[in-house]
């Protein structure tokens, strides 16, 4: 046991199971299931986290009834044919000493999609609509309620037969059990509604069914939002009353506490809280639950570092900590923590782009910092090279740093040259914007990995023909990045027009008065610069080419930033493209009608109009054979950190 984190690395008894430590990967969608079944990719994904030292793996939701298919890639536990797949997964996790639980799930009215694109019929306690997904459900019949309740028990039996150690019933985030419990959603007047006893009946019978059908010794827990933090959601008082009753009846082996609700935009943000939320901010909710139950309590909510988890457990606010996105970003976080290698932990920055962002786009899970995630079978164990090459990396942004780290780790002799004073590329700009300081951790993590792997990093070093010849590389990784794009504009009377980079860096001073931010992409740059200027008490109009500001951001990140923009009184004009400007007017064109749109009384314009690749130097033109040059990141085509890091990994894997 490590002396630095004695609470975190002590065993925990949950029902009839002993978990080796207090770090868990909580249930989260991966889009690695196929036709409702476990796949080799899903097994490899969870095995990597078990091998990295997590004490408990909680699988993504398993549907308990055919009406529970809320996405086309949900796991299903509705047929005995599922047992062999779950058994292979359980065996892989157990191989490393970890325990594994399944999640038993029905979304109720929170339906996202159907297999053929038609709108499915959503079941709920009552015909109360979901605000976020604009779904009007159908009130369940008594027979349907009994069917679904029986589904929880049947699914629990199957997962026990597969060798799992337990299950948890998902009553969090406004899903079906929470809908039955909610007086706002459940307006039934029969035995499944009315007072608390009636509204709690569905969850009580689901728990009892899981216990009865799975048999003794099998863990049955509950996941619940300590507060749904939504205008019509469950509040803490009601949740505490419900869990206390269920625990008193002996139905719970543990409670896993989170926050938020899927049913509203403001509540959904807490499903995977963005970086604006503080570390462990849900721990007070877990502490309140722990005070009214006699079973272990787990907590989830931006717990990224072992010291945060240790403190939560030491303070008695929870018995175990879900470090789910932290484990997505660094599967080896537990073993690094146990061995005192905390400085080597690749810290999650809460960007949400490739984890839950991928899920919401229907793509397999990954991580912008660690693209090996979700691709374990391809990249997790790259072989050491048999022939060492001299590898020259030109450019120290995320793409270059990842290429250098992986190439050096494989045994190549790697030297990275960055023309600027610091490595990091555009991340050094992003971290300066309001609420995005944590994003700078991407550079800290990648640079640390490259240096620990043995790559030599030289800053303030620009590669030219002489330097290239002196390096005599066997391979060149070109990662020279991008520069701001300035489109052709009709300008009169010398208006002040600056690019976003110079404004963020503070290189230029904008005149007093209203500033228009012209945003072509709809990502963090335009919206972030608008918030940056608003924080300086500037009047800001954000003009976006798309239907909404932040259109290309993950929806929880976008929601948090848009909420801040509303509070800062940023004016947003959608569906316009920039045409020109004069001394006090910005001329735009509506993207739908092609008609003119004017913003008057303007003192200056800030351009967030995308980027152009930087292709200088050209190693091929300087004499390096083209088959020895690998271009990665924005110098190929300007995109995001995710693509840059993935291409750096792919290039290094090919060397």
């Amino acid at each position: 046991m490590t002396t630095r984190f004695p609470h975190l690395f002590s065993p925990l008894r949950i029902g009839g199971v002993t978990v080796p430590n207090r770090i868990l990967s909580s249930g989260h969608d991966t889009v690695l299931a196929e036709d409702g079944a476990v796949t080799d990719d899903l097994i490899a994904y969870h095995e990597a986290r078990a091998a990295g030292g997590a004490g408990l793996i909680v699988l993504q939701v398993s549907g308990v009834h055919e009406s529970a298919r809320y996405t086309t890639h949900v796991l299903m536990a509705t047929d005995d044919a599922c047992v062999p797949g779950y058994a292979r997964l359980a065996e892989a996790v157990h191989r490393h000493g970890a325990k594994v639980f399944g999640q038993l799930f029905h979304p109720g009215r929170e339906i996202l999609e159907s297999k053929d694109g038609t709108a499915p019929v959503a079941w709920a306690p009552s015909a109360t609509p979901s605000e976020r997904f604009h779904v009007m459900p159908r009130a369940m019949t008594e027979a349907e309620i009994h069917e679904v309740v029986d589904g929880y028990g049947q699914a629990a039996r199957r997962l026990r037969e597969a060798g799992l150690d337990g299950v948890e019933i998902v009553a969090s985030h406004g899903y079906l059990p929470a809908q039955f419990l909610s007086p706002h959603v459940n307006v039934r007047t029969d035995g499944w509604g009315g007072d608390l006893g009636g509204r709690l009946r569905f969850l009580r019978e689901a728990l009892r069914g899981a216990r009865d059908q799975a048999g003794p010794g099998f863990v049955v827990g509950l996941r619940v939002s300590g507060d749904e933090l939504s205008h019509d959601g469950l509040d803490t008082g009601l949740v505490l009353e419900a869990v206390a009753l269920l625990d008193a009846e002996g139905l719970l082996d543990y409670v896993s506490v989170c926050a938020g609700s899927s049913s509203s935009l403001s509540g959904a943000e807490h499903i995977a809280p963005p970086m604006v939320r503080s570390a462990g901010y849900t721990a007070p909710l877990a502490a309140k639950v722990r005070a009214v139950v006699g079973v272990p309590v787990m907590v989830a909510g931006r717990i990224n570092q072992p010291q945060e988890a240790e403190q939560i457990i030491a303070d008695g606010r929870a018995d175990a900590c879900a470090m789910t996105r932290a484990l997505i970003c660094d599967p080896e976080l537990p073993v690094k923590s146990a061995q005192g290698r905390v400085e080597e932990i690749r810290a999650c920055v809460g960007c949400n782009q490739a984890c839950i962002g991928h899920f919401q786009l229907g793509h397999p899970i990954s991580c912008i910092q660690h693209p090996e995630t979700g691709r374990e079978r391809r990249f997790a164990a790259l072989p050491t090279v048999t022939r060492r090459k001299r590898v020259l990396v030109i450019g120290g942004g995320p793409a270059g740093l990842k290429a250098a780290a992986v190439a050096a780790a494989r045994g190549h002799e790697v030297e990275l040259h960055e023309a600027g004073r610091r490595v990091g590329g555009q991340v050094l700009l992003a971290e300066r914007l309001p609420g995005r300081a944590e994003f700078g951790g991407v550079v800290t993590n990648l640079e640390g990995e490259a240096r620990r792997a043995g790559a030599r990093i030289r800053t303030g070093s620009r590669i030219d023909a002489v330097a290239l010849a002196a390096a005599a590389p066997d391979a060149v990784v070109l990662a020279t990045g991008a520069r701001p794009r300035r489109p052709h504009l009709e300008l009169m009377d010398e208006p002040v027009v600056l690019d976003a980079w110079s404004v963020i860096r503070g290189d230029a001073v904008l005149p007093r008065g209203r500033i228009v931010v012209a945003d072509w992409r709809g990502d963090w740059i335009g919206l972030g610069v608008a918030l940056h200027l608003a924080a300086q008490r500037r009047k800001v109009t954000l003009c976006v080419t798309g239907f909404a500001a932040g259109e290309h951001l993950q929806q929880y990140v976008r929601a948090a930033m848009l909420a801040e923009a509303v509070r800062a009184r940023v004016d947003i004009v959608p569906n316009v493209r920039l045409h020109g400007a004069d001394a006090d007017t910005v001329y735009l064109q509506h993207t739908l009608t092609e008609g003119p749109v004017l913003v008057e009384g303007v003192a200056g314009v800030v351009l967030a109009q995308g980027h152009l690749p930087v292709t200088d130097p050209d190693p091929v033109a300087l004499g390096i054979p083209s088959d020895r040059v690998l271009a990665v990141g924005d110098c190929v085509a300007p995109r995001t950190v995710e693509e840059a890091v993935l291409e750096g990994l792919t290039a290094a894997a090919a060397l």
Side-chain angles (χ1 to χ4, degrees), residues 439-452:
F439 200 69
V442 171
V443 174
T444 303
N445 295 336
L446 288 171
E447 182 180 5
E449 289 169 30
R451 291 189 185 278
R452 285 191 297 273

Side-chain angles (χ1 to χ4, degrees), residues 302-332:
R302 287 227 70 210
I303 304 169
N304 292 334
Q305 294 282 7
Q307 58 268 28
E308 297 162 1
E310 173 73 15
Q311 195 63 55
I312 288 169
I313 297 168
D315 291 346
R317 290 177 286 173
D319 299 287
C321 290
M323 304 184 72
T324 309
R325 281 181 293 172
L327 292 166
I328 293 170
C329 187
D330 192 342
E332 296 182 334

Side-chain angles (χ1 to χ4, degrees), residues 2-230:
T2 178
T3 56
R4 186 168 180 184
F5 307 114
H7 297 86
L8 191 58
F9 287 96
S10 61
L12 176 65
R13 187 75 174 173
I14 304 175
V17 170
T18 299
V19 178
N21 62 55
R22 312 296 182 98
I23 298 173
L24 68 128
S25 173
S26 60
H28 58 285
D29 277 290
T30 63
V31 197
L32 294 174
E34 189 173 315
D35 295 327
V38 171
T39 63
D40 290 342
D41 284 337
L42 183 61
I43 292 171
Y45 171 80
H46 285 300
E47 184 172 9
R49 276 124 200 100
L56 173 63
I57 302 291
V58 182
L59 305 181
Q60 66 194 72
V61 296
S62 296
V64 300
H65 188 270
E66 279 302 308
S67 58
R69 291 183 184 270
Y70 82 130
T71 71
T72 57
H73 38 74
V74 65
L75 275 176
M76 297 296 289
T78 52
D79 189 280
D80 289 352
C82 75
V83 172
Y86 281 106
R88 289 196 302 120
L89 200 163
E91 182 183 4
V93 170
H94 287 155
R95 190 179 300 136
H96 303 281
K99 303 300 182 182
V100 57
F101 296 168
Q103 284 191 321
L104 305 185
F105 176 76
H106 196 296
R109 64 182 183 168
E110 300 301 305
I111 294 285
L112 276 71
E113 59 181 339
S114 70
K115 196 165 187 177
D116 65 358
T118 61
V121 176
W123 292 8
S126 306
T128 308
S130 165
E131 176 183 278
R132 180 174 169 220
F133 296 127
H134 304 280
V135 169
M136 176 58 77
R138 178 175 63 76
M140 297 169 69
T141 66
E142 179 118 6
E144 289 167 344
I145 294 173
H146 283 294
E147 270 186 47
V148 173
V149 167
D150 183 60
Y152 283 97
Q154 295 280 2
R157 172 186 60 79
R158 293 182 182 107
L159 296 188
R160 175 160 194 166
E161 289 176 2
L164 273 70
D165 302 292
V167 293
E168 69 180 28
I169 289 180
V170 180
S172 61
H173 299 126
Y175 297 124
L176 186 60
Q179 292 164 32
F180 268 95
L181 184 58
S182 169
H184 305 290
V185 180
N186 182 355
V187 295
R188 301 178 74 100
T189 56
D190 60 7
W192 302 91
D195 62 11
L196 178 59
R199 300 196 315 275
L200 191 57
R201 180 182 172 189
F202 180 90
L203 182 51
R204 178 185 288 116
E205 294 201 11
L207 285 161
R208 186 173 291 127
R211 286 193 170 280
D212 290 345
Q213 295 203 47
F218 192 63
V219 171
V220 177
L222 176 68
R223 192 174 207 209
V224 65
S225 294
D227 193 315
E228 290 190 348
L229 298 171
S230 187

Side-chain angles (χ1 to χ4, degrees), residues 395-467:
L401 288 170
K402 183 65 174 182
V406 175
R410 294 188 63 212
H412 292 301
E413 179 185 346
V414 180
E415 194 166 275
L416 181 149
H417 291 254
E418 163 58 40
R421 291 182 301 159
R422 294 175 59 198
V423 295
Q426 292 181 57
V427 173
L428 302 180
L429 298 172
E431 69 178 355
R432 297 190 182 194
L433 293 174
R436 292 188 69 83
E438 204 170 333
F439 200 69
V442 171
V443 174
T444 303
N445 295 336
L446 288 171
E447 182 180 5
E449 289 169 30
R451 291 189 185 278
R452 285 191 297 273
R456 296 190 298 274
I457 296 176
R458 297 186 178 181
T459 56
S461 177
R462 190 177 297 277
I463 292 294
D464 55 18
V466 174

